[in-house]
Amino acid sequence: MDALLVLLAALALGGFVFLPWMRRRRAAAHTQRGLVVAADPMAGYGFVPLEELDVRLPGPDEELDAALAEMRRTHDWRPAAELLKSTGDDWERRWQRVQTLAGAAAFELAGGGAETDGGHRTGGIWLRTWRSEAPKDPGGAQTHAQFLVVQALRDPGSQDFRMILEEARTVCREAALLAPGSPIPYITELAVARGLGDRPADYEELWAKVAQRAPQHMGAHLAALPYWSQKWHGSRKEAEAFAERAAAGAPAGTLLPALPLFAVYEHLPEANMVRSLYQSAVVERAIEGAHFALREAPADHPMAPHVRHLLVWFLVRAERYAEAMEQLRLVDGHVGAVPWSYGRSPAAEYAAYRALAIAGWEQLGGTSAGFPPAGN
């Protein structure tokens, strides 16, 4: 959930990964009562090997991959600018791409893949150059604002935390002036407001600006939800009420009916493997809402992989292995999403649940023969 707000480099593969405000959940248990993990979960299923899983994004984005590769090669900001320009007002996709670009800059600045010049790091210089050479480019301002959020949240206990977030707020408002109709700066500011502890009335006012511009934006709702959660400035009741209102008022074709599943996830007890919890009416209702949202939304919705990844987690816990296998078939290969990004190794977290799903599927009589290849 918070992971949708912050991209931070943490793993190899030359990439970076969504992280939840630098907060680590306990690693998910890799065994489940009465279940034996398959020895070779890839055999016959066409799943991507652990070492080849892409931790940067929840699903494929070939245009983004190409831009990142060119930027790493040339340290030029123009591929990023062109990418966001071509994205236009596809706000869901633009939000995801802005986060990714900001995370790339943060990763490089931290030393991940950064080159050196006389002992000095050059990583992330393309973002500084972008802002210097094209100060009126809204894409550069949006990326810069998100970059500052990432930097602040790398160390929430730092004495510079509030100062960096205040700077991020200033850049958010500059970005809003450069593109008045865009919700992106206001979505980024949701993280700023949460980190700075804005009053509920002020947060509601900020949320109204987002909703005015993109009322069905799934990423925006996921960005806003944590403020109302028990971990931040609200409660379980407030978070669930926010999610239920959004789901109930959602027009056909949006992913908002899946929002309650994220609210449930954020308020589960830590390290709970009791099967009955995941087969309770509350969880079952949230799972069905997510299934409904995925059936009704466009197949290429940029946020659909986020929903599918969380569904895998819940479905495995609930021992609904056939349904989990179907979701795995559609998302396998990319693991930059909640809940995997809460662990120390998103790829390993995902692979463990994938192995559990396969083992459960086979214990129930399923086989790889006739199972549609992953990714199809």
Side-chain angles (χ1 to χ4, degrees):
M1 182 128 359
D2 293 344
L4 301 178
L5 300 176
V6 180
L7 274 162
L8 191 64
L11 300 177
L13 300 178
F16 39 88
V17 61
F18 286 96
L19 290 179
W21 289 81
M22 311 306 112
R23 174 170 54 85
R24 300 290 191 183
R25 281 187 181 262
R26 297 176 187 174
H30 292 173
T31 59
Q32 192 162 314
R33 184 174 58 187
L35 194 60
V36 178
V37 175
D40 183 5
M42 258 60 68
Y45 289 97
F47 289 132
V48 175
L50 169 64
E51 64 274 12
E52 296 178 19
L53 291 171
D54 189 336
V55 302
R56 302 170 304 167
L57 289 170
D61 187 334
E62 294 180 3
E63 292 178 340
L64 176 57
D65 281 341
L68 289 170
E70 182 67 10
M71 289 158 60
R72 288 179 64 84
R73 185 181 70 82
T74 64
H75 303 290
D76 187 6
W77 56 270
R78 289 172 182 81
E82 287 301 318
L83 176 72
L84 293 184
K85 183 178 180 180
S86 68
T87 308
D89 60 358
D90 183 347
W91 301 129
E92 295 275 17
R93 198 175 309 277
R94 187 181 184 92
W95 168 235
Q96 196 151 263
R97 287 176 170 179
V98 164
Q99 289 187 91
T100 304
L101 292 169
F107 179 68
E108 293 173 14
L109 188 62
E115 297 180 2
T116 61
D117 181 9
H120 300 286
R121 287 176 180 168
T122 61
I125 195 171
W126 55 266
L127 179 54
R128 297 192 294 275
T129 306
W130 188 2
R131 294 291 285 139
S132 174
E133 295 183 356
K136 301 301 183 183
D137 185 342
Q142 292 165 9
T143 304
H144 184 201
Q146 181 64 28
F147 166 81
L148 290 169
V149 170
V150 172
Q151 290 296 92
L153 295 174
R154 290 182 65 188
D155 185 7
S158 167
Q159 62 181 3
D160 297 328
F161 177 71
R162 292 189 65 87
M163 181 184 70
I164 297 173
L165 285 182
E166 291 288 4
E167 182 182 357
R169 173 166 273 166
T170 298
V171 179
C172 282
R173 292 176 179 178
E174 178 185 348
L177 291 174
L178 292 173
S182 174
I184 305 303
Y186 299 102
I187 300 174
T188 298
E189 194 174 348
L190 290 171
V192 175
R194 181 176 44 177
L196 292 176
D198 281 14
R199 298 178 309 160
D202 294 332
Y203 200 81
E204 288 277 13
E205 183 179 348
L206 175 60
W207 173 248
K209 294 176 181 178
V210 176
Q212 178 185 4
R213 292 163 175 80
Q216 281 83 52
H217 197 289
M218 182 65 172
H221 281 79
L222 289 175
L225 181 61
Y227 179 91
W228 304 111
S229 75
Q230 186 174 326
K231 299 181 181 71
W232 287 91
H233 309 296
S235 64
R236 175 173 183 164
K237 183 177 180 180
E238 288 176 285
E240 291 182 348
F242 174 81
E244 293 291 348
R245 283 197 305 271
T254 79
L255 284 175
L256 291 179
L259 194 61
L261 188 69
F262 290 84
V264 170
Y265 178 74
E266 280 300 304
H267 292 88
L268 287 172
E270 296 282 349
N272 190 313
M273 291 296 292
V274 179
R275 182 180 66 178
S276 60
L277 173 63
Y278 301 98
Q279 296 178 344
S280 66
V282 171
V283 172
E284 286 194 355
R285 187 165 58 248
I287 287 174
E288 294 316 308
H291 277 309
F292 171 81
L294 289 169
R295 287 195 303 270
E296 297 296 316
D300 62 348
H301 194 296
M303 294 299 295
H306 288 282
V307 178
R308 295 189 189 283
H309 279 289
L310 191 58
L311 261 179
V312 168
W313 190 91
F314 271 101
L315 291 169
V316 168
R317 291 282 183 112
E319 300 183 12
R320 294 165 63 168
Y321 302 117
E323 294 169 73
M325 290 290 286
E326 175 60 17
Q327 298 304 322
L328 286 167
R329 184 180 69 82
L330 295 169
V331 299
D332 192 66
H334 295 78
V335 297
V338 170
W340 325 121
S341 53
Y342 280 126
R344 295 188 179 278
S345 176
E349 298 284 340
Y350 169 83
Y353 272 77
R354 183 175 63 183
L356 287 169
I358 294 171
W361 162 258
E362 292 182 349
Q363 280 197 350
L364 295 174
T367 68
S368 61
F371 188 81
N376 289 347

